[in-house]
């Protein structure tokens, strides 16, 4: 039973109560979201940081590994509230994690989480490993932002425009602009509450999806030009995959963090149930994005490759060659066909 039936039903009332109590009693609350944060991770965390500021509660908010906010998220309210992860308390009294399915997704801040007195894990991944002491984890929630909004509400903090904008970015990015199956009536009801604070959706869309420097076009062309369709893979449901190399980006001076939209073009392919894009980052590792139309569980496939995610959108990091990883993926996709949903 949820404290607000129907709203975030997967989380028990005593988990909410425990989280609220820990936050209210803490002298400082430490917040961390997953590495290479996306709109949901950073949006949920910054919304919560702003709520703590309203409450007059001391806090630290950060994310591990490379402490660089992706370009497309540099319009989020509250970026000034972030602290360098090097200054994150080593043994936080109360710590909350956002949108991280497992502790390793916190990168360097996983060590701090391991030493937290109370570790509140806020997330919506089915693959969540429940690595905390309190779990606000709802696999049915469209975004961590949905869970964050409810906790902010329970703490009695009203939705300001800036808090709502951060939550809205989490909601709109994780639902693919309200296009994915996760877009329930409750999602639209939350969007309505957020928008009522004065949010301009066309401005959010322009920042997140509808802009890029000219160099994006030739890089996208290179990636699309070498896309491969393998119709027999995944029990005949089909795979389409491609790569975006460091060399592609260097030729047009394009930063890595502008590649997020490439998968959304590749996944259009009618002949393929699964789409995969290998993106080479500045360190030479491959960040791999996978998408399914529903018949293949790419989340399980990516977990087997050391990554994680959801059934229809998942990823993993590859240190090594692309071809052997594709070979492994072909097998995993075959093994992870799921019964068609109604
Ligand atoms: P992306 O393709 O980067 O949009 O990621 C899709 C989903 O896959 C995200 O919601 C993440 O939960 C998950 N994901 C992506 N990369 C990784 C990774 N390296 N390790 C674990 N999960 C990942
Ligand atoms: Mn995320
Ligand atoms: Mn998310």
């Amino acid at each position: 039973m949820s404290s607000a039936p129907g709203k975030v039903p997967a989380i028990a009332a005593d988990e909410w109560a425990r989280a609220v109590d820990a936050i209210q009693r803490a002298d400082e609350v430490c917040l961390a979201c997953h590495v290479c944060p996306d709109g949901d991770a950073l949006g949920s965390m910054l919304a919560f940081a702003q709520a703590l500021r309203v409450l007059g509660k001391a806090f630290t908010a950060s994310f591990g590994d490379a402490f660089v906010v992706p370009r497309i998220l540099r319009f989020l309210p509250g970026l000034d509230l972030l602290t360098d992860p090097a200054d994150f308390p080593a043994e936080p009294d109360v710590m909350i994690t956002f949108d991280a399915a497992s502790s390793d997704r916190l990168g360097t801040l996983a060590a701090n989480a391991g030493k937290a007195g109370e570790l509140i894990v806020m997330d919506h991944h089915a693959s969540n490993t429940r690595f905390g002491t309190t779990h606000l984890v709802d696999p049915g929630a469209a975004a961590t932002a949905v869970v964050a909004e409810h906790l902010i509400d329970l703490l009695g903090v009203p939705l300001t425009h800036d808090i709502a904008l951060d939550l809205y970015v989490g909601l709109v990015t994780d639902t693919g602009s309200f296009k994915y199956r996760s877009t329930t009536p409750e999602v639209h009801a939350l969007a309505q509450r957020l928008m009522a604070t004065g949010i301009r959706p066309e401005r959010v869309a322009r920042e997140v999806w509808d802009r890029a420097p000219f160099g994006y076009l030739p890089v996208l062309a290179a990636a699309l030009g070498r896309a491969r369709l393998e119709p027999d893979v995944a029990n005949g449901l089909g795979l389409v995959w491609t790569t975006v190399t460091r060399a592609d980006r260097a030729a047009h001076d394009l930063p890595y963090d502008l590649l997020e939209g490439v998968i959304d073009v590749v996944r259009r392919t009618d002949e393929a149930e699964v789409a995969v894009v290998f993106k080479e980052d500045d360190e030479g590792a491959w960040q791999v994005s996978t998408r399914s139309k529903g018949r293949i569980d790419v989340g399980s496939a990516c977990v087997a490759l050391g990554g994680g995610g959801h059934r229809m959108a998942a990823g993993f990091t590859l240190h090594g060659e692309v071809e052997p990883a594709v070979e492994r993926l072909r097998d995993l996709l075959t093994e992870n066909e799921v019964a068609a949903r109604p």
Side-chain angles (χ1 to χ4, degrees), residues 145-200:
V146 174
V147 187
E149 191 264 349
H150 191 47
L151 187 57
I152 289 169
D153 189 35
L154 287 177
L155 289 165
V157 178
L159 286 178
T160 62
H161 168 272
D162 283 1
I163 290 176
L165 178 52
D166 283 334
L167 293 172
Y168 182 84
V169 170
L171 195 63
V172 81
T173 53
D174 265 29
T175 57
S177 308
F178 307 112
K179 282 192 296 193
Y180 300 159
R181 196 188 176 102
S182 55
T183 309
T184 57
E186 290 76 22
V187 164
H188 281 298
L190 174 55
Q192 180 190 32
R193 286 204 300 286
L194 300 174
M195 274 190 74
T197 66
I199 284 165
R200 297 275 300 268

Short mmCIF file of all heavy atoms in Angstrom, two decimals, residues 145-200:
data_model
loop_
_atom_site.label_atom_id
_atom_site.label_comp_id
_atom_site.label_asym_id
_atom_site.label_seq_id
_atom_site.Cartn_x
_atom_site.Cartn_y
_atom_site.Cartn_z
N ALA A 145 11.78 10.92 -11.84
CA ALA A 145 11.13 12.20 -11.53
C ALA A 145 9.74 12.01 -10.92
O ALA A 145 9.29 12.82 -10.10
CB ALA A 145 11.05 13.06 -12.80
N VAL A 146 9.04 10.94 -11.32
CA VAL A 146 7.71 10.67 -10.77
C VAL A 146 7.82 10.39 -9.27
O VAL A 146 7.02 10.88 -8.46
CB VAL A 146 7.06 9.45 -11.49
CG1 VAL A 146 5.75 9.07 -10.84
CG2 VAL A 146 6.89 9.74 -12.97
N VAL A 147 8.82 9.61 -8.90
CA VAL A 147 9.04 9.24 -7.50
C VAL A 147 9.52 10.47 -6.73
O VAL A 147 9.08 10.73 -5.60
CB VAL A 147 10.06 8.08 -7.39
CG1 VAL A 147 10.16 7.59 -5.95
CG2 VAL A 147 9.67 6.94 -8.33
N ALA A 148 10.41 11.23 -7.34
CA ALA A 148 10.96 12.44 -6.69
C ALA A 148 9.84 13.44 -6.39
O ALA A 148 9.79 14.03 -5.30
CB ALA A 148 12.01 13.09 -7.58
N GLU A 149 8.93 13.60 -7.34
CA GLU A 149 7.83 14.56 -7.13
C GLU A 149 6.99 14.17 -5.92
O GLU A 149 6.56 15.01 -5.14
CB GLU A 149 6.96 14.65 -8.38
CG GLU A 149 5.96 15.81 -8.35
CD GLU A 149 4.57 15.45 -7.88
OE1 GLU A 149 4.23 14.26 -7.76
OE2 GLU A 149 3.79 16.39 -7.61
N HIS A 150 6.77 12.85 -5.78
CA HIS A 150 5.95 12.40 -4.66
C HIS A 150 6.64 12.64 -3.32
O HIS A 150 6.02 13.07 -2.35
CB HIS A 150 5.62 10.91 -4.83
CG HIS A 150 4.58 10.43 -3.87
ND1 HIS A 150 3.41 11.12 -3.63
CD2 HIS A 150 4.54 9.34 -3.06
CE1 HIS A 150 2.70 10.48 -2.71
NE2 HIS A 150 3.37 9.39 -2.35
N LEU A 151 7.95 12.42 -3.27
CA LEU A 151 8.68 12.65 -2.02
C LEU A 151 8.71 14.15 -1.69
O LEU A 151 8.56 14.55 -0.53
CB LEU A 151 10.10 12.08 -2.11
CG LEU A 151 10.90 12.10 -0.80
CD1 LEU A 151 10.18 11.36 0.33
CD2 LEU A 151 12.29 11.52 -1.00
N ILE A 152 8.87 14.97 -2.70
CA ILE A 152 8.85 16.43 -2.50
C ILE A 152 7.49 16.84 -1.93
O ILE A 152 7.39 17.65 -1.00
CB ILE A 152 9.16 17.15 -3.83
CG1 ILE A 152 10.64 16.97 -4.20
CG2 ILE A 152 8.80 18.64 -3.75
CD1 ILE A 152 11.01 17.41 -5.61
N ASP A 153 6.43 16.23 -2.46
CA ASP A 153 5.08 16.50 -1.99
C ASP A 153 4.91 16.08 -0.53
O ASP A 153 4.37 16.82 0.30
CB ASP A 153 4.11 15.74 -2.91
CG ASP A 153 2.66 16.11 -2.67
OD1 ASP A 153 2.40 17.29 -2.36
OD2 ASP A 153 1.79 15.22 -2.76
N LEU A 154 5.43 14.88 -0.21
CA LEU A 154 5.32 14.38 1.17
C LEU A 154 6.07 15.28 2.16
O LEU A 154 5.71 15.37 3.32
CB LEU A 154 5.87 12.95 1.27
CG LEU A 154 5.03 11.83 0.66
CD1 LEU A 154 5.75 10.50 0.79
CD2 LEU A 154 3.65 11.76 1.31
N LEU A 155 7.13 15.92 1.69
CA LEU A 155 7.91 16.81 2.55
C LEU A 155 7.24 18.19 2.68
O LEU A 155 7.74 19.06 3.40
CB LEU A 155 9.34 16.96 2.00
CG LEU A 155 10.23 15.72 2.16
CD1 LEU A 155 11.47 15.82 1.28
CD2 LEU A 155 10.63 15.52 3.62
N GLY A 156 6.15 18.37 1.94
CA GLY A 156 5.38 19.60 2.07
C GLY A 156 5.94 20.78 1.30
O GLY A 156 5.59 21.93 1.58
N VAL A 157 6.80 20.49 0.31
CA VAL A 157 7.38 21.59 -0.48
C VAL A 157 6.52 21.82 -1.72
O VAL A 157 6.30 20.89 -2.50
CB VAL A 157 8.83 21.26 -0.91
CG1 VAL A 157 9.40 22.38 -1.76
CG2 VAL A 157 9.69 21.00 0.32
N PRO A 158 6.02 23.04 -1.91
CA PRO A 158 5.20 23.30 -3.09
C PRO A 158 6.04 23.30 -4.37
O PRO A 158 7.24 23.58 -4.33
CB PRO A 158 4.60 24.69 -2.83
CG PRO A 158 5.39 25.29 -1.73
CD PRO A 158 6.17 24.21 -1.04
N LEU A 159 5.41 22.98 -5.49
CA LEU A 159 6.10 22.98 -6.78
C LEU A 159 6.32 24.41 -7.25
O LEU A 159 5.38 25.09 -7.62
CB LEU A 159 5.28 22.24 -7.83
CG LEU A 159 5.21 20.72 -7.76
CD1 LEU A 159 4.29 20.20 -8.87
CD2 LEU A 159 6.60 20.11 -7.89
N THR A 160 7.57 24.84 -7.24
CA THR A 160 7.89 26.12 -7.88
C THR A 160 8.13 25.85 -9.37
O THR A 160 8.29 24.71 -9.78
CB THR A 160 9.18 26.71 -7.29
OG1 THR A 160 10.26 25.78 -7.58
CG2 THR A 160 9.07 26.91 -5.79
N HIS A 161 8.19 26.92 -10.15
CA HIS A 161 8.48 26.75 -11.57
C HIS A 161 9.80 26.01 -11.78
O HIS A 161 9.90 25.10 -12.61
CB HIS A 161 8.54 28.11 -12.27
CG HIS A 161 9.10 28.03 -13.66
ND1 HIS A 161 10.45 28.13 -13.92
CD2 HIS A 161 8.50 27.81 -14.85
CE1 HIS A 161 10.65 27.98 -15.23
NE2 HIS A 161 9.49 27.79 -15.81
N ASP A 162 10.83 26.37 -11.03
CA ASP A 162 12.15 25.78 -11.26
C ASP A 162 12.22 24.31 -10.83
O ASP A 162 12.87 23.50 -11.49
CB ASP A 162 13.23 26.59 -10.54
CG ASP A 162 13.56 27.87 -11.30
OD1 ASP A 162 12.92 28.12 -12.36
OD2 ASP A 162 14.44 28.62 -10.85
N ILE A 163 11.55 23.97 -9.72
CA ILE A 163 11.49 22.56 -9.32
C ILE A 163 10.72 21.77 -10.39
O ILE A 163 11.16 20.71 -10.84
CB ILE A 163 10.79 22.40 -7.94
CG1 ILE A 163 11.68 22.96 -6.83
CG2 ILE A 163 10.45 20.92 -7.67
CD1 ILE A 163 11.05 22.94 -5.44
N ALA A 164 9.60 22.33 -10.83
CA ALA A 164 8.76 21.64 -11.82
C ALA A 164 9.50 21.47 -13.14
O ALA A 164 9.37 20.43 -13.80
CB ALA A 164 7.47 22.43 -12.03
N LEU A 165 10.30 22.46 -13.53
CA LEU A 165 11.02 22.36 -14.81
C LEU A 165 12.01 21.19 -14.78
O LEU A 165 12.11 20.41 -15.73
CB LEU A 165 11.72 23.68 -15.12
CG LEU A 165 12.55 23.73 -16.41
CD1 LEU A 165 11.75 23.26 -17.63
CD2 LEU A 165 13.08 25.15 -16.65
N ASP A 166 12.73 21.05 -13.67
CA ASP A 166 13.67 19.92 -13.55
C ASP A 166 12.93 18.58 -13.62
O ASP A 166 13.39 17.64 -14.28
CB ASP A 166 14.45 20.02 -12.24
CG ASP A 166 15.56 21.07 -12.31
OD1 ASP A 166 16.05 21.33 -13.41
OD2 ASP A 166 15.93 21.61 -11.25
N LEU A 167 11.80 18.50 -12.92
CA LEU A 167 11.03 17.25 -12.94
C LEU A 167 10.46 17.00 -14.33
O LEU A 167 10.44 15.87 -14.83
CB LEU A 167 9.88 17.32 -11.91
CG LEU A 167 10.31 17.36 -10.44
CD1 LEU A 167 9.10 17.63 -9.56
CD2 LEU A 167 10.99 16.05 -10.03
N TYR A 168 10.01 18.06 -14.97
CA TYR A 168 9.44 17.93 -16.32
C TYR A 168 10.48 17.40 -17.30
O TYR A 168 10.17 16.55 -18.15
CB TYR A 168 8.90 19.30 -16.78
CG TYR A 168 8.24 19.26 -18.14
CD1 TYR A 168 6.91 18.89 -18.28
CD2 TYR A 168 8.97 19.58 -19.29
CE1 TYR A 168 6.30 18.84 -19.53
CE2 TYR A 168 8.38 19.53 -20.54
CZ TYR A 168 7.04 19.16 -20.65
OH TYR A 168 6.47 19.11 -21.89
N VAL A 169 11.70 17.88 -17.19
CA VAL A 169 12.77 17.41 -18.08
C VAL A 169 13.00 15.91 -17.86
O VAL A 169 13.18 15.15 -18.82
CB VAL A 169 14.07 18.22 -17.88
CG1 VAL A 169 15.24 17.58 -18.62
CG2 VAL A 169 13.86 19.65 -18.38
N GLY A 170 12.97 15.46 -16.61
CA GLY A 170 13.09 14.03 -16.33
C GLY A 170 11.96 13.23 -16.97
O GLY A 170 12.17 12.20 -17.60
N LEU A 171 10.75 13.75 -16.82
CA LEU A 171 9.56 13.05 -17.33
C LEU A 171 9.55 13.02 -18.86
O LEU A 171 9.30 11.99 -19.48
CB LEU A 171 8.31 13.78 -16.80
CG LEU A 171 6.99 13.05 -16.91
CD1 LEU A 171 6.99 11.77 -16.08
CD2 LEU A 171 5.84 13.96 -16.47
N VAL A 172 9.86 14.15 -19.47
CA VAL A 172 9.75 14.25 -20.93
C VAL A 172 10.88 13.48 -21.61
O VAL A 172 10.69 12.87 -22.68
CB VAL A 172 9.68 15.73 -21.37
CG1 VAL A 172 11.03 16.38 -21.42
CG2 VAL A 172 8.98 15.88 -22.71
N THR A 173 12.07 13.42 -21.00
CA THR A 173 13.16 12.67 -21.64
C THR A 173 12.96 11.17 -21.47
O THR A 173 13.11 10.42 -22.43
CB THR A 173 14.55 13.09 -21.08
OG1 THR A 173 14.56 12.99 -19.66
CG2 THR A 173 14.90 14.50 -21.50
N ASP A 174 12.57 10.71 -20.28
CA ASP A 174 12.43 9.26 -20.08
C ASP A 174 11.20 8.68 -20.78
O ASP A 174 11.12 7.46 -20.97
CB ASP A 174 12.40 8.90 -18.59
CG ASP A 174 13.80 8.52 -18.09
OD1 ASP A 174 14.78 9.02 -18.66
OD2 ASP A 174 13.90 7.71 -17.16
N THR A 175 10.23 9.52 -21.16
CA THR A 175 9.09 9.00 -21.92
C THR A 175 9.26 9.28 -23.41
O THR A 175 8.33 9.02 -24.19
CB THR A 175 7.75 9.64 -21.47
OG1 THR A 175 7.85 11.07 -21.61
CG2 THR A 175 7.42 9.30 -20.03
N GLY A 176 10.43 9.78 -23.83
CA GLY A 176 10.65 10.10 -25.23
C GLY A 176 9.58 11.06 -25.75
O GLY A 176 8.91 10.77 -26.74
N SER A 177 9.41 12.17 -25.06
CA SER A 177 8.36 13.16 -25.40
C SER A 177 6.97 12.55 -25.32
O SER A 177 6.14 12.74 -26.22
CB SER A 177 8.49 13.72 -26.81
OG SER A 177 9.74 14.20 -27.06
N PHE A 178 6.73 11.77 -24.26
CA PHE A 178 5.40 11.17 -24.06
C PHE A 178 5.03 10.23 -25.20
O PHE A 178 3.86 10.09 -25.55
CB PHE A 178 4.32 12.27 -23.89
CG PHE A 178 4.65 13.27 -22.81
CD1 PHE A 178 4.96 14.59 -23.12
CD2 PHE A 178 4.70 12.88 -21.48
CE1 PHE A 178 5.29 15.50 -22.14
CE2 PHE A 178 5.02 13.79 -20.49
CZ PHE A 178 5.32 15.11 -20.82
N LYS A 179 6.05 9.56 -25.75
CA LYS A 179 5.78 8.64 -26.86
C LYS A 179 5.86 7.18 -26.43
O LYS A 179 5.32 6.32 -27.10
CB LYS A 179 6.82 8.86 -27.99
CG LYS A 179 6.53 10.08 -28.83
CD LYS A 179 7.39 10.10 -30.09
CE LYS A 179 8.87 10.22 -29.78
NZ LYS A 179 9.68 10.55 -30.95
N TYR A 180 6.63 6.87 -25.36
CA TYR A 180 6.84 5.47 -25.01
C TYR A 180 5.63 4.89 -24.31
O TYR A 180 4.74 5.60 -23.84
CB TYR A 180 8.08 5.31 -24.12
CG TYR A 180 9.36 5.79 -24.73
CD1 TYR A 180 10.45 6.10 -23.93
CD2 TYR A 180 9.50 5.93 -26.12
CE1 TYR A 180 11.64 6.54 -24.47
CE2 TYR A 180 10.69 6.37 -26.67
CZ TYR A 180 11.76 6.69 -25.84
OH TYR A 180 12.93 7.13 -26.37
N ARG A 181 5.65 3.56 -24.18
CA ARG A 181 4.56 2.83 -23.54
C ARG A 181 4.37 3.25 -22.08
O ARG A 181 3.29 3.09 -21.51
CB ARG A 181 4.88 1.34 -23.62
CG ARG A 181 3.71 0.46 -23.34
CD ARG A 181 4.14 -0.98 -23.25
NE ARG A 181 3.01 -1.79 -22.87
CZ ARG A 181 2.31 -2.51 -23.72
NH1 ARG A 181 2.65 -2.56 -24.97
NH2 ARG A 181 1.27 -3.20 -23.31
N SER A 182 5.44 3.76 -21.48
CA SER A 182 5.37 4.19 -20.08
C SER A 182 4.49 5.42 -19.88
O SER A 182 4.24 5.84 -18.76
CB SER A 182 6.79 4.49 -19.57
OG SER A 182 7.42 5.45 -20.41
N THR A 183 4.00 6.01 -20.98
CA THR A 183 3.20 7.25 -20.90
C THR A 183 1.76 6.93 -20.52
O THR A 183 0.89 6.76 -21.38
CB THR A 183 3.27 8.00 -22.25
OG1 THR A 183 4.65 8.13 -22.62
CG2 THR A 183 2.66 9.38 -22.12
N THR A 184 1.53 6.85 -19.22
CA THR A 184 0.21 6.52 -18.67
C THR A 184 -0.62 7.79 -18.46
O THR A 184 -0.09 8.90 -18.52
CB THR A 184 0.39 5.84 -17.30
OG1 THR A 184 1.14 6.76 -16.48
CG2 THR A 184 1.14 4.52 -17.42
N PRO A 185 -1.89 7.64 -18.16
CA PRO A 185 -2.68 8.83 -17.78
C PRO A 185 -2.05 9.57 -16.60
O PRO A 185 -2.09 10.81 -16.54
CB PRO A 185 -4.04 8.24 -17.40
CG PRO A 185 -4.13 6.96 -18.18
CD PRO A 185 -2.73 6.43 -18.26
N GLU A 186 -1.44 8.82 -15.65
CA GLU A 186 -0.80 9.46 -14.49
C GLU A 186 0.38 10.33 -14.93
O GLU A 186 0.66 11.37 -14.32
CB GLU A 186 -0.31 8.40 -13.49
CG GLU A 186 -1.41 7.66 -12.74
CD GLU A 186 -2.13 6.62 -13.60
OE1 GLU A 186 -1.54 6.16 -14.61
OE2 GLU A 186 -3.28 6.28 -13.27
N VAL A 187 1.07 9.89 -15.99
CA VAL A 187 2.19 10.69 -16.51
C VAL A 187 1.66 12.03 -17.02
O VAL A 187 2.22 13.10 -16.73
CB VAL A 187 2.94 9.92 -17.62
CG1 VAL A 187 3.82 10.87 -18.44
CG2 VAL A 187 3.77 8.80 -17.02
N HIS A 188 0.58 11.98 -17.77
CA HIS A 188 0.01 13.24 -18.28
C HIS A 188 -0.55 14.10 -17.15
O HIS A 188 -0.49 15.33 -17.20
CB HIS A 188 -1.06 12.95 -19.34
CG HIS A 188 -0.47 12.62 -20.68
ND1 HIS A 188 0.32 13.51 -21.39
CD2 HIS A 188 -0.52 11.50 -21.44
CE1 HIS A 188 0.71 12.95 -22.53
NE2 HIS A 188 0.22 11.73 -22.58
N ALA A 189 -1.10 13.43 -16.12
CA ALA A 189 -1.62 14.20 -14.98
C ALA A 189 -0.48 14.93 -14.27
O ALA A 189 -0.62 16.09 -13.87
CB ALA A 189 -2.34 13.27 -14.01
N LEU A 190 0.66 14.25 -14.13
CA LEU A 190 1.82 14.91 -13.52
C LEU A 190 2.32 16.03 -14.42
O LEU A 190 2.63 17.13 -13.95
CB LEU A 190 2.94 13.88 -13.26
CG LEU A 190 4.26 14.44 -12.75
CD1 LEU A 190 4.07 15.27 -11.47
CD2 LEU A 190 5.27 13.31 -12.49
N ALA A 191 2.38 15.76 -15.73
CA ALA A 191 2.82 16.80 -16.67
C ALA A 191 1.92 18.03 -16.55
O ALA A 191 2.39 19.18 -16.60
CB ALA A 191 2.82 16.27 -18.10
N GLN A 192 0.66 17.80 -16.35
CA GLN A 192 -0.28 18.92 -16.21
C GLN A 192 0.06 19.75 -14.96
O GLN A 192 0.12 20.98 -15.03
CB GLN A 192 -1.71 18.39 -16.12
CG GLN A 192 -2.74 19.51 -15.98
CD GLN A 192 -4.12 18.98 -15.65
OE1 GLN A 192 -4.26 17.95 -14.98
NE2 GLN A 192 -5.13 19.67 -16.13
N ARG A 193 0.30 19.06 -13.85
CA ARG A 193 0.65 19.79 -12.61
C ARG A 193 1.94 20.58 -12.78
O ARG A 193 2.07 21.71 -12.31
CB ARG A 193 0.82 18.81 -11.44
CG ARG A 193 -0.46 18.23 -10.91
CD ARG A 193 -0.31 17.75 -9.45
NE ARG A 193 0.69 16.72 -9.23
CZ ARG A 193 0.53 15.45 -9.59
NH1 ARG A 193 -0.57 15.06 -10.20
NH2 ARG A 193 1.47 14.57 -9.36
N LEU A 194 2.90 19.96 -13.46
CA LEU A 194 4.19 20.64 -13.66
C LEU A 194 4.02 21.84 -14.59
O LEU A 194 4.51 22.94 -14.33
CB LEU A 194 5.22 19.65 -14.22
CG LEU A 194 5.53 18.43 -13.34
CD1 LEU A 194 6.46 17.45 -14.05
CD2 LEU A 194 6.14 18.85 -12.00
N MET A 195 3.30 21.62 -15.69
CA MET A 195 3.12 22.69 -16.67
C MET A 195 2.38 23.88 -16.10
O MET A 195 2.60 25.03 -16.50
CB MET A 195 2.37 22.17 -17.90
CG MET A 195 3.28 21.56 -18.93
SD MET A 195 2.39 21.23 -20.45
CE MET A 195 2.22 22.91 -21.08
N ALA A 196 1.50 23.60 -15.14
CA ALA A 196 0.70 24.67 -14.54
C ALA A 196 1.56 25.70 -13.83
O ALA A 196 1.11 26.81 -13.52
CB ALA A 196 -0.32 24.08 -13.57
N THR A 197 2.83 25.38 -13.56
CA THR A 197 3.72 26.34 -12.92
C THR A 197 4.34 27.30 -13.95
O THR A 197 5.12 28.18 -13.59
CB THR A 197 4.88 25.64 -12.16
OG1 THR A 197 5.73 24.99 -13.12
CG2 THR A 197 4.36 24.65 -11.15
N GLY A 198 3.99 27.10 -15.23
CA GLY A 198 4.47 28.03 -16.26
C GLY A 198 5.52 27.48 -17.20
O GLY A 198 6.21 28.22 -17.91
N ILE A 199 5.62 26.16 -17.24
CA ILE A 199 6.64 25.55 -18.11
C ILE A 199 6.27 25.70 -19.58
O ILE A 199 5.11 25.56 -19.95
CB ILE A 199 6.82 24.08 -17.73
CG1 ILE A 199 7.64 24.04 -16.44
CG2 ILE A 199 7.54 23.28 -18.82
CD1 ILE A 199 7.61 22.76 -15.74
N ARG A 200 7.28 26.00 -20.40
CA ARG A 200 7.09 26.14 -21.85
C ARG A 200 7.68 24.92 -22.54
O ARG A 200 8.90 24.83 -22.74
CB ARG A 200 7.79 27.41 -22.32
CG ARG A 200 7.21 28.69 -21.70
CD ARG A 200 6.01 29.20 -22.46
NE ARG A 200 6.36 29.50 -23.85
CZ ARG A 200 6.77 30.70 -24.27
NH1 ARG A 200 6.87 31.71 -23.44
NH2 ARG A 200 7.05 30.89 -25.54
#
